[in-house]
Amino acid sequence: MANFEAYQEYQRIDDFEEDSPPGEEDLLVHVPEGLSDSWHHIKNLDNFFTRIYQFHQKNGFACMMLSEFFELFQFLFVVTFTTFLFNCVEYDILFANRAVNHTGPGQNPLDRNKVSLPDAILPSQQCTERIQENSWIIFLLIMAAIFWVYRMIKVFCNILSYWEIRQFYIKALKISMDELCNFTWQEVQDRLISLQREQQMCIHKKELTELDIYHRILRFKNYMVAMVNKSLLPVQLQLPLLGNLVFLTQGLKYNFELILFWGPGSLFQNKWNLHPKYKRAGNRLELAQQLSRVILLLGVANLLLCPFILVWQVLYSFFSYTEVIRREPGSLGARRWSMYGRLYLRHFNELDHELHGRLGRGYKPISKYMNSFTSPLLTVLAKNVAFFSGSVLAVLIALTVYDEDVLTVQHILTAITVLGVVITITRSFIPDEHMVWCPEQLLQCVLAHIHYMPDHWRGNANKSETRDEVAQLFQYKALFILEELLSPIVTPFILIFLLRNKSLEIIDFFRNFTVEVVGVGDICSFAQMDIRRHGNPLWMSEGQTEASVYQQAENGKTELSLMHFTIKNPRWQPPQESSVFISHLKEKVHQDAQGGPPTQLLLSEAPLCSSLLSNGSGNGPDNLLASVLAHPVLTASGLPGRDRRFVPPSTAASAAASVLASLSSSHSQLPHASRSRSHVLLPSTHPDSTMYCSDRTVIDSMSASDSRMKSTTLLSEFASAEMSLHAIYMHEVHQQNSLPHQRTSGQWQNPVPMRELSSNTGSQTHSGHTAVSLSNMPTPLRLGGWTEEEEEEDAEEEEIINSRSTPKQDSKSSY
């Protein structure tokens, strides 16, 4: 939320006893003596759990250390090779601007004009003299040497630290290095929790929970996610000609973390505790001035180091991307998730591999959405530029095929390369002639994976303003490289002129949104995912939250983060407020599922829907999402279902509710399925769950010959599909809650076209979907010249549809 001037009205959130089990504040744990290779009473659990996670994600000790050493050699190579190119090469000879006479004993006088590479390289003595005469080169080499020695010391410290982690995996967790890649993080985490009962790694708590481990690994990242969610960090810039831009780079993010978390003047006194003075409101103005001075000093330091950092950025980018651009010029036109997008779309308590997997699944649909926007004028220009460039290139290629001596002509190779790049770039602006224009459905499919979308995007997916905002989350790779190159120049000014002005708001934010949890330390209160403290009434938490408008997380992040963490960690026992919210959600899902389309019908349409959306490979999770996303469009358009029967129009919410309720009821009937709690809606991602079924569609458990990794991967995919269904459903219900005047009780409503709805709602909403009730059967719609089935078949079709929806009514209690 942008209005942080009202932060001074905040009151500190009290630390309730529910943050940890009662009585553990004074818990004394007996530490066994004489145990070899024991890991009890670990002082810095944040660092320990983080290294355990990194060790698993980076595939073990050998891979990590090899990467560390190659980073050292990369830096050494860049510095050495750059120094060599600037001081040890005679470019007049290399470019044949100066003749070289090779006449000598045993050499042909006719070869005196041919230049070899050694001719352009200066002798070592002359090269050394050039370096010694240039004081700037010597200064830069000294700075580079200091930094390299620092990195080398850090690498050797990491070797000792990660060797201990390796021993921990082998001896404590009983996971050998050869089997490490076959274990998921959830399995490693389960073994950590079990080990806590045997060896008290944390002596302040008898048992660790999944949330405790996430809190320690993501302590500072949760703060960053919350600050982006509340629009506290100055990453959005208003420029005179360019308008609203988002600027967040690796360097700027590093400076934010340095100031707030672990730098010399940071707010935290150690890795797990906020300094006590920042928890008191009495000296907030003095602390804000102190923080402002720290930001100013760091901004000035960035300004002084700007030339050196800029030189390094240019050299590293040149060595990294030049060969890629030459080989694949179109790679600059590819897109990637921006730094801002990774923070904006990140759930509270979402680990890196979970975020990367989720955004990776959303890469194809969001790429298709962005590529669906074309400029007719730019298309015409691109076609003609490609034609003229291709014609010249074709002639040059034909001449080189006829006689290869053409390549010796000056700048011929350069012309061929430049023309190839121009053709590749211009073709990226020419749309696919077979592309279908359906931005609303593509954006809905994007939402299924990224889980967050501003309300005003609904119904406006075809507008360039929406595309520009999506581009802030999903930027061109060329723009990413440009931002990183400009970062050393822009970062000091953002720190000095923008971040300093938010010093008081930052102080208030950390005081008001920091809670102390026994056995964990100080964490961001948003990371507790407490509906009562940070819920939003418009996101299905009405009557359950006590949060003011300033304490609510924006865009339903508390509710969506709670559902995501619950699904990813099925054995976690949420607190009472969270359990009440989950119970309310599943009751709402079942209520909406009663009037939704039959699950059998959705599954029967899955192959057709997957083909229409063209987003997946046709496997189980993709089919579920495709059927839910496309079914409202099929029915609203009057398309017949299987056996040429028309089905009532429905929303994505009712379709998602129907699938969720059916999956839950089917799974609850499995006697052998291991369940740790009743409110999990899909099969557990834990390997104990061995079957996934939906009414008559059953995916049997893996055979004994299949690897455990394939089984857990399949379960993880279905868990991701469940979260996607919940994201769709919760966004649809949120839209309905935002548009109470569009809902009617007990009657179907015909879907309103996206653009018409957007124009009718005016300033109250930007939603492109109609909130409909799910009770009675509608009058089927017509499409073009199609006619409905004969009247004598209507009764039979209605009876079949009603019979298919009957099983869901019996499953109400099981959801």
Side-chain angles (χ1 to χ4, degrees):
M1 181 171 179
N3 186 14
F4 270 81
E5 296 178 356
Y7 265 54
Q8 56 187 358
E9 300 178 4
Y10 286 0
Q11 294 182 357
R12 175 166 173 77
I13 299 176
D14 297 328
D15 298 334
F16 292 88
E17 295 181 356
E18 290 82 5
D19 289 339
S20 61
E24 290 194 356
E25 293 80 0
D26 301 324
L27 180 64
L28 296 178
V29 179
H30 171 69
V31 179
E33 299 179 358
L35 293 178
S36 59
D37 300 323
S38 60
W39 282 269
H40 55 268
H41 193 187
I42 297 175
K43 183 177 181 180
N44 191 344
L45 277 175
D46 282 33
N47 184 64
F48 186 68
F49 286 154
T50 301
R51 289 182 181 273
I52 289 175
Y53 176 72
Q54 293 176 347
F55 191 91
H56 175 267
Q57 294 299 307
K58 295 181 179 180
N59 302 311
F61 182 81
C63 292
M64 295 185 67
M65 293 303 102
L66 194 61
S67 298
E68 294 268 7
F69 279 113
F70 271 118
E71 286 183 6
L72 282 177
F73 286 117
Q74 275 187 7
F75 182 84
L76 189 63
F77 170 79
V78 170
V79 173
T80 304
F81 190 48
T82 304
T83 305
F84 170 79
L85 292 177
F86 275 96
N87 297 277
C88 301
V89 178
E90 191 68 41
Y91 289 98
D92 286 338
I93 296 177
L94 184 64
F95 296 149
N97 295 328
R98 190 173 68 192
V100 178
N101 191 354
H102 290 282
T103 303
Q107 290 187 346
N108 190 347
L110 298 178
D111 295 337
R112 63 181 180 275
N113 291 327
K114 291 186 177 180
V115 178
S116 62
L117 190 60
D119 294 333
I121 299 177
L122 297 176
S124 58
Q125 182 177 359
Q126 188 176 355
C127 180
T128 304
E129 292 176 356
R130 280 193 173 187
I131 295 175
Q132 292 176 349
E133 292 173 358
N134 195 329
S135 58
W136 276 105
I137 293 294
I138 295 177
F139 176 74
L140 291 175
L141 290 177
I142 293 175
M143 294 287 292
I146 294 174
F147 179 78
W148 190 82
V149 171
Y150 163 77
R151 286 287 300 146
M152 184 177 61
I153 296 174
K154 191 174 181 180
V155 167
F156 281 108
C157 292
N158 287 338
I159 291 176
L160 299 178
S161 177
Y162 281 108
W163 181 261
E164 181 184 359
I165 300 299
R166 180 182 183 274
Q167 298 300 107
F168 177 81
Y169 266 91
I170 296 175
K171 297 180 180 180
L173 299 182
K174 309 299 181 184
I175 300 176
S176 65
M177 295 298 98
D178 295 335
E179 298 178 351
L180 179 62
C181 295
N182 297 328
F183 281 81
T184 65
W185 170 249
Q186 279 71 24
E187 293 172 317
V188 174
Q189 185 174 257
D190 288 342
R191 297 199 178 194
L192 274 175
I193 294 174
S194 299
L195 184 66
Q196 167 69 14
R197 304 185 186 102
E198 302 173 3
Q199 300 187 30
Q200 295 292 324
M201 295 178 291
C202 175
I203 63 171
H204 298 286
K205 300 189 73 172
K206 184 179 299 182
E207 292 188 0
L208 288 176
T209 66
E210 292 85 351
L211 189 59
D212 293 337
I213 297 175
Y214 274 69
H215 278 163
R216 289 189 175 276
I217 297 176
L218 301 171
R219 187 188 304 273
F220 297 153
K221 287 186 178 179
N222 281 328
Y223 274 107
M224 292 291 290
V225 172
M227 295 173 79
V228 169
N229 180 256
K230 301 297 288 184
S231 301
L232 181 57
L233 294 179
V235 296
Q236 295 192 3
L237 310 178
Q238 289 287 344
L239 300 182
L241 298 178
L242 301 178
N244 184 23
L245 294 179
V246 171
F247 187 86
L248 181 61
T249 61
Q250 293 281 3
L252 183 58
K253 180 172 174 287
Y254 177 86
N255 278 274
F256 286 159
E257 295 174 348
L258 185 67
I259 293 171
L260 300 176
F261 303 124
W262 49 269
S266 66
L267 279 62
F268 278 74
Q269 63 179 358
N270 51 43
K271 295 292 184 180
W272 55 89
N273 282 121
L274 188 70
H275 200 283
K277 63 183 180 181
Y278 293 103
K279 299 180 181 181
R280 298 187 293 268
N283 54 349
R284 54 192 291 269
L285 296 178
E286 179 183 351
L287 293 176
Q289 293 177 355
Q290 179 181 341
L291 179 61
S292 178
R293 288 193 295 268
V294 172
I295 296 174
L296 177 62
L297 292 176
L298 190 60
V300 173
N302 274 269
L303 195 60
L304 296 177
L305 294 175
C306 174
F308 311 109
I309 302 175
L310 181 61
V311 169
W312 168 254
Q313 290 278 50
V314 172
L315 292 176
Y316 187 80
S317 299
F318 176 79
F319 290 128
S320 298
Y321 299 112
T322 302
E323 189 276 332
V324 177
I325 296 173
R326 185 198 66 81
R327 177 167 40 90
E328 298 179 5
S331 61
L332 291 178
R335 291 183 177 270
R336 67 186 301 277
W337 296 101
S338 65
M339 291 290 300
Y340 170 74
R342 293 177 184 273
L343 286 175
Y344 176 83
L345 299 175
R346 190 169 193 152
H347 292 296
F348 294 123
N349 302 309
E350 184 175 21
L351 292 172
D352 290 342
H353 76 280
E354 297 171 346
L355 175 67
H356 295 162
R358 182 163 60 86
L359 297 183
R361 284 185 288 270
Y363 184 86
K364 286 186 178 180
I366 197 171
S367 296
K368 292 183 179 181
Y369 172 77
M370 298 300 293
N371 294 335
S372 65
F373 286 84
T374 57
S375 171
L377 180 61
L378 191 59
T379 300
V380 173
L381 293 176
K383 287 182 178 179
N384 285 274
V385 172
F387 171 77
F388 294 123
S389 301
S391 301
V392 178
L393 181 61
V395 173
L396 294 179
I397 293 176
L399 291 175
T400 56
V401 172
Y402 177 76
D403 190 349
E404 62 181 8
D405 289 338
V406 176
L407 294 174
T408 62
V409 178
Q410 191 176 17
H411 301 314
I412 283 294
L413 283 176
T414 303
I416 293 176
T417 303
V418 171
L419 288 173
V421 172
V422 170
I423 293 172
T424 303
I425 294 175
T426 53
R427 283 180 177 174
S428 64
F429 293 101
I430 302 175
D432 184 4
E433 59 182 359
H434 304 293
M435 182 181 61
V436 179
W437 173 251
C438 52
E440 289 292 345
Q441 282 301 303
L442 286 175
L443 198 58
Q444 184 79 338
C445 189
V446 171
L447 172 63
H449 296 290
I450 68 174
H451 301 169
Y452 293 100
M453 188 173 73
D455 294 341
H456 62 270
W457 286 6
R458 292 293 186 91
N460 297 315
N462 59 338
K463 294 186 177 180
S464 58
E465 293 82 0
T466 303
R467 180 189 182 276
D468 294 340
E469 293 184 14
V470 177
Q472 294 177 352
L473 308 177
F474 196 61
Q475 62 182 176
Y476 282 115
K477 191 171 185 178
L479 183 60
F480 163 76
I481 297 174
L482 180 62
E483 286 183 352
E484 291 295 334
L485 292 177
L486 294 177
S487 180
I489 301 174
V490 178
T491 295
F493 296 98
I494 292 180
L495 296 178
I496 295 174
F497 298 106
L498 296 180
L499 188 63
R500 284 182 62 211
N501 297 333
K502 291 183 174 290
S503 298
L504 183 59
E505 298 172 8
I506 292 174
I507 295 297
D508 290 338
F509 178 88
F510 276 87
R511 183 183 72 254
N512 295 315
F513 296 124
T514 296
V515 293
E516 182 178 357
V517 179
V518 173
V520 177
D522 289 333
I523 64 170
C524 180
S525 61
F526 287 103
Q528 287 287 86
M529 302 174 296
D530 192 334
I531 299 297
R532 179 168 56 88
R533 299 181 188 179
H534 299 298
N536 192 322
L538 295 179
W539 287 87
M540 304 182 66
S541 59
E542 186 175 3
Q544 305 174 41
T545 179
E546 302 173 359
S548 65
V549 66
Y550 303 109
Q551 295 171 341
Q552 298 168 2
E554 307 299 327
N555 299 321
K557 188 170 283 286
T558 299
E559 292 79 4
L560 287 167
S561 297
L562 174 61
M563 292 307 304
H564 179 268
F565 189 83
T566 301
I567 293 171
K568 287 295 183 180
N569 299 273
R571 293 190 175 183
W572 176 63
Q573 296 293 336
Q576 182 179 359
E577 293 81 3
S578 300
S579 298
V580 171
F581 171 79
I582 295 173
S583 300
H584 172 72
L585 174 62
K586 61 184 181 182
E587 290 175 1
K588 175 68 174 173
V589 167
H590 176 75
Q591 179 183 357
D592 288 352
Q594 298 303 309
T599 308
Q600 297 93 332
L601 179 62
L602 288 172
L603 295 176
S604 67
E605 292 175 347
L608 172 62
C609 299
S610 297
S611 177
L612 289 175
L613 292 178
S614 300
N615 283 324
S617 58
N619 55 25
D622 290 334
N623 283 340
L624 288 176
L625 287 178
S627 61
V628 170
L629 291 172
H631 182 75
V633 177
L634 295 178
T635 57
S637 302
L639 286 176
R642 181 166 290 190
D643 299 331
R644 301 181 64 191
R645 285 189 296 269
F646 283 92
V647 294
S650 59
T651 62
S654 61
S658 179
V659 175
L660 286 172
S662 179
L663 292 175
S664 175
S665 62
S666 299
H667 185 70
S668 63
Q669 296 172 4
L670 297 177
H672 62 280
S674 173
R675 308 296 294 173
S676 56
R677 59 179 197 276
S678 60
H679 59 262
V680 179
L681 304 181
L682 276 182
S684 168
T685 56
H686 196 269
D688 292 344
S689 298
T690 58
M691 184 173 290
Y692 181 94
C693 43
S694 174
D695 288 348
R696 299 177 183 176
T697 302
V698 179
I699 298 178
D700 294 321
S701 58
M702 292 289 179
S703 60
S705 60
D706 291 331
S707 65
R708 174 177 47 82
M709 192 63 181
K710 291 182 179 179
S711 176
T712 55
T713 301
L714 179 62
L715 293 170
S716 177
E717 288 298 320
F718 276 110
S720 299
E722 178 193 5
M723 184 58 212
S724 297
L725 293 173
H726 275 97
I728 295 171
Y729 176 77
M730 294 173 70
H731 272 271
E732 292 289 336
V733 174
H734 166 67
Q735 291 295 320
Q736 296 177 18
N737 292 336
S738 301
L739 301 172
H741 62 281
Q742 291 191 4
R743 288 178 293 172
T744 59
S745 176
Q747 294 182 353
W748 281 83
Q749 291 182 350
N750 291 334
V752 181
M754 302 295 182
R755 296 182 181 178
E756 181 181 346
L757 177 62
S758 177
S759 61
N760 290 338
T761 54
S763 60
Q764 295 183 10
T765 181
H766 297 278
S767 173
H769 295 274
T770 309
V772 300
S773 300
L774 306 171
S775 307
N776 301 327
M777 304 291 289
T779 302
L781 301 178
R782 299 177 183 268
L783 178 64
W786 291 9
T787 58
E788 302 177 13
E789 296 291 332
E790 288 74 12
E791 295 181 0
E792 55 267 24
E793 296 180 0
D794 292 344
E796 180 183 358
E797 291 171 3
E798 183 175 356
E799 181 180 354
I800 294 176
I801 293 174
N802 291 335
S803 64
R804 286 189 171 184
S805 61
T806 302
K808 290 185 303 184
Q809 298 176 2
D810 298 333
S811 62
K812 180 175 182 179
S813 60
S814 61
Y815 180 78

